[in-house]
Amino acid sequence: MSIHILAPGVEALQVPLSKPSLVTTDGVSVWEWCGSAFDEGDEAARWFSNYLGKPARLVHFNEASETRPVDANYATGYKVKFCDGYPFLVLSQGSLDALNALLKDPILVNRFRPKFVLSVLFFINYFLVETGCFIAGTLPISTLMGWI
């Protein structure tokens, strides 16, 4: 198994996922967090450095020695790896469209770094994030109205 990385104007990069790296890179940071991570090697580093035009390393989170809890003011008992601060960042296309209608210069979706962009919302089924269970059914209308 491997990850296949594509970018415009360069050849694809294949990075094996089955064999964990034993080499770590220190000083990896995401916002206020800083720690070490497993390094995916020089070939990946060259590919990203060439594409980005500055030194870069491809790393993956070292769950054995690092931890990054979600801010307890918002959710307790959850941990994240390299995302902004929460397991899921969701943006609706309608909200982005409404915001951009008010702005002189539109904002691109990547400004918000969402993991999911929802285009059409149908509340027929929902996902229980805490347990990872998909629950079939409908939510009470009072709950749905609170989300609007």
Side-chain angles (χ1 to χ4, degrees):
M1 182 186 290
S2 65
I3 185 170
H4 191 77
I5 302 169
L6 303 170
V10 294
E11 289 193 30
L13 172 67
Q14 294 250 135
V15 179
L17 295 178
S18 57
K19 182 181 173 192
S21 168
L22 298 177
V23 178
T24 59
T25 298
D26 294 322
V28 175
S29 63
V30 178
W31 299 107
E32 75 294 337
W33 178 86
C34 186
S36 67
F38 291 119
D39 192 302
E40 290 299 337
D42 292 334
E43 180 184 359
R46 275 191 300 278
W47 191 94
F48 278 98
S49 296
N50 290 337
Y51 184 73
L52 297 171
K54 60 183 179 180
R57 307 285 309 177
L58 177 63
V59 297
H60 71 266
F61 199 80
N62 183 352
E63 294 180 70
S65 69
E66 302 293 339
T67 186
R68 191 167 169 243
V70 170
D71 187 331
N73 290 317
Y74 302 101
T76 57
Y78 294 96
K79 295 177 187 169
V80 292
K81 296 176 184 173
F82 290 136
C83 57
D84 279 353
Y86 305 96
F88 299 102
L89 297 176
V90 179
L91 177 73
S92 76
Q93 187 64 50
S95 295
L96 181 62
D97 294 343
L99 174 64
N100 282 334
L102 300 172
L103 300 175
K104 178 182 171 189
D105 297 317
I107 295 175
L108 299 174
V109 69
N110 64 354
R111 173 84 178 267
F112 297 97
R113 298 181 300 278
K115 193 171 274 191
F116 302 103
V117 177
L118 306 177
S119 294
V120 179
L121 299 177
F122 291 102
F123 295 102
I124 301 205
N125 296 302
Y126 61 96
F127 187 76
L128 186 58
V129 175
E130 291 82 8
T131 61
C133 296
F134 185 75
I135 310 295
T138 59
L139 292 173
I141 193 67
S142 59
T143 302
L144 298 177
M145 293 305 290
W147 293 353
I148 297 175

